[in-house]
Amino acid sequence: MPEEIQGRYRRARSLCRVGYVSLYVMAGVLVAMMAVSLLALTRSARPSQTCLLVGIVRQGMSIVATALLAEFLRDFGAGRAPFEQRQSVRLALAGLLIVLKTSLDIFGPTLAEGIALSDGPVTVCVSSQPGIDPMMVGLAVFFACLALVVRYGNALKEDSDSIA
């Protein structure tokens, strides 16, 4: 491998190490946020079991998607082949989880609590992300496309290996 390509590869691996550590820290923060929000929900509003379950699923999807992306970077940072099938599966699954989480944000039940103002109780909806977040949809599409690129890279690598 030429020296310039090796240098780029080393830099990419180093950056991937920083990236996966950052993503694991983010996943840890998401777990802590999930624990705190569940504790707050169970102590205050007395939401229905459905609301609690949907809340757990929503936050769980974010945690799993973040961990999948961290594993993608960890494999590359550890020097493993970036074009393996499991890498494209991780990306596709992370994209799918983002789409499902966005769908739950749109169509899932929201938590509501009444607060007393001067004229009487007013219903306030509390939701983590009301409506469609275009960035999340775009991110999911990006992961799906990147998964196909990784799959294509794997096919090229296998073809190249069979020639040599």
Side-chain angles (χ1 to χ4, degrees):
M1 210 183 307
E3 185 63 34
E4 180 184 345
I5 293 175
Q6 285 180 343
R8 287 183 185 190
Y9 178 63
R10 283 192 299 271
R11 283 190 297 273
R13 285 182 57 199
S14 296
L15 187 58
C16 282
R17 288 184 191 120
V18 171
Y20 83 75
V21 168
S22 299
L23 286 173
Y24 276 128
V25 167
M26 185 183 297
V29 168
L30 288 170
V31 168
M33 288 172 53
M34 180 174 148
V36 168
S37 65
L38 287 176
L39 183 65
L41 282 173
T42 56
R43 290 186 179 207
S44 63
R46 301 284 182 227
S48 69
Q49 296 292 42
T50 304
C51 287
L52 281 174
L53 181 63
V54 169
I56 290 169
V57 169
R58 279 181 184 155
Q59 292 177 341
M61 285 182 194
S62 296
I63 293 165
V64 171
T66 303
L68 285 169
L69 296 175
E71 280 298 300
F72 177 87
L73 293 177
R74 187 180 67 81
D75 268 4
F76 187 79
R80 296 187 187 102
F83 296 119
E84 292 180 349
Q85 182 177 354
R86 69 179 170 188
Q87 292 288 66
S88 64
V89 169
R90 285 177 180 149
L91 291 173
L93 188 55
L96 178 65
L97 287 172
I98 290 170
V99 167
L100 290 175
K101 182 187 178 302
T102 302
S103 298
L104 278 178
D105 287 342
I106 296 167
F107 301 113
T110 58
L111 302 175
E113 168 142 4
I115 59 171
L117 295 177
S118 59
D119 292 335
V122 175
T123 302
V124 175
C125 276
V126 178
S127 177
S128 62
Q129 248 183 5
I132 296 174
D133 185 354
M135 187 183 112
M136 288 298 165
V137 174
L139 194 58
V141 170
F142 172 77
F143 287 138
C145 293
L146 187 57
L148 293 175
V149 169
V150 168
R151 197 168 276 183
Y152 173 68
N154 187 37
L156 285 178
K157 180 183 170 292
E158 288 176 4
D159 185 52
S160 170
D161 290 348
S162 69
I163 294 172

